[in-house]
Amino acid sequence: MKKTFSNTYIFIYSAALVVVAALILTVVSVSLKPLQTKNQQAETKQMILKTIGVEATRDNAAELYAKHITEADGYYTFDGGIVLPLKGTGLWGPIWGYLALDSTSTVVGAVFDHKGETPGLGGEIATDKFAARFIGKRMDTQAIHLSKNADHSNPYEVDAISGGTMTSNGVTAMLAKAYDDYSNLRKEATE
């Protein structure tokens, strides 16, 4: 004989199941938040250190960061230069990075990342090969920009990502914003 349940019983059972599942997920999320925050901070420190040529792991990032980096008002300094934070929007979401400049406003290191750009296209910004394109470029009188068929002798041009037009535009916009901020810093320093 088949046992049947009333609609009320099914509704109460389903509601209780949803509440218990939500409670478990909330407890797990809240308990993992400090670890997630610590890992995000370590990753940020690793990215900043990478721009100045210092490789770090999650375990030693805080120590190396304290040794090499000084935090300022919205940017970071190191012996002989500055690291500018970059934030923008690509095709599918946020993109970000850091650009290290020496005292002559020449790029000595760069690192980029993204939340959801297309692998093999816009996602290429997260590769060392893409970041290497910026080494030796300048941010003194204008922002670096990405363009198709870039003139490699031009200190302000970098090859755009083939098939990643929206991401390339987002990187160019990030660099323009960083240049404006950097120009204001330099202007304040001379006043």
Side-chain angles (χ1 to χ4, degrees):
M1 184 164 171
K2 186 176 177 187
K3 186 172 182 180
T4 60
F5 296 100
S6 69
N7 287 343
T8 303
Y9 175 82
I10 293 171
F11 177 76
I12 292 172
Y13 181 81
S14 298
L17 191 61
V18 167
V19 168
V20 168
L23 182 61
I24 290 169
L25 289 173
T26 300
V27 168
V28 169
S29 176
V30 168
S31 65
L32 290 177
K33 186 67 175 166
L35 184 59
Q36 290 172 334
T37 300
K38 182 180 175 184
N39 285 339
Q40 287 170 340
Q41 290 170 343
E43 183 180 17
T44 297
K45 289 175 181 175
Q46 285 176 281
M47 289 178 76
I48 292 168
L49 287 165
K50 188 174 184 177
T51 66
I52 63 168
V54 177
E55 291 296 326
T57 65
R58 280 197 178 140
D59 295 332
N60 68 3
E63 177 187 341
L64 290 171
Y65 184 86
K67 181 179 177 181
H68 295 285
I69 301 293
T70 303
E71 292 185 16
D73 187 29
Y75 59 94
Y76 312 88
T77 60
F78 65 99
D79 185 29
I82 186 169
V83 179
L84 303 173
L86 308 169
K87 291 183 180 163
T89 304
L91 175 61
W92 299 112
I95 56 176
W96 61 91
Y98 297 92
L99 195 67
L101 306 174
D102 67 12
S103 60
T104 66
S105 301
T106 301
V107 177
V108 294
V111 64
F112 300 91
D113 210 347
H114 62 91
K115 182 152 178 96
E117 298 304 292
T118 307
L121 298 173
E124 290 298 300
I125 67 169
T127 65
D128 290 339
K129 184 179 176 183
F130 178 75
R133 297 177 188 179
F134 291 83
I135 307 299
K137 299 299 180 177
R138 302 194 46 82
M139 287 279 277
D140 52 358
T141 60
Q142 68 183 64
I144 299 167
H145 61 277
L146 277 64
S147 64
K148 290 182 180 181
N149 303 315
D151 175 1
H152 296 275
S153 66
N154 183 333
Y156 306 102
E157 276 189 15
V158 170
D159 279 324
I161 303 163
S162 181
T165 303
M166 296 300 291
T167 306
S168 294
N169 292 345
V171 171
T172 296
M174 280 193 319
L175 292 165
K177 170 78 169 82
Y179 173 75
D180 290 344
D181 293 344
Y182 180 55
S183 294
N184 289 336
L185 284 173
R186 291 190 315 167
K187 193 181 300 179
E188 289 172 10
T190 60
E191 291 178 349

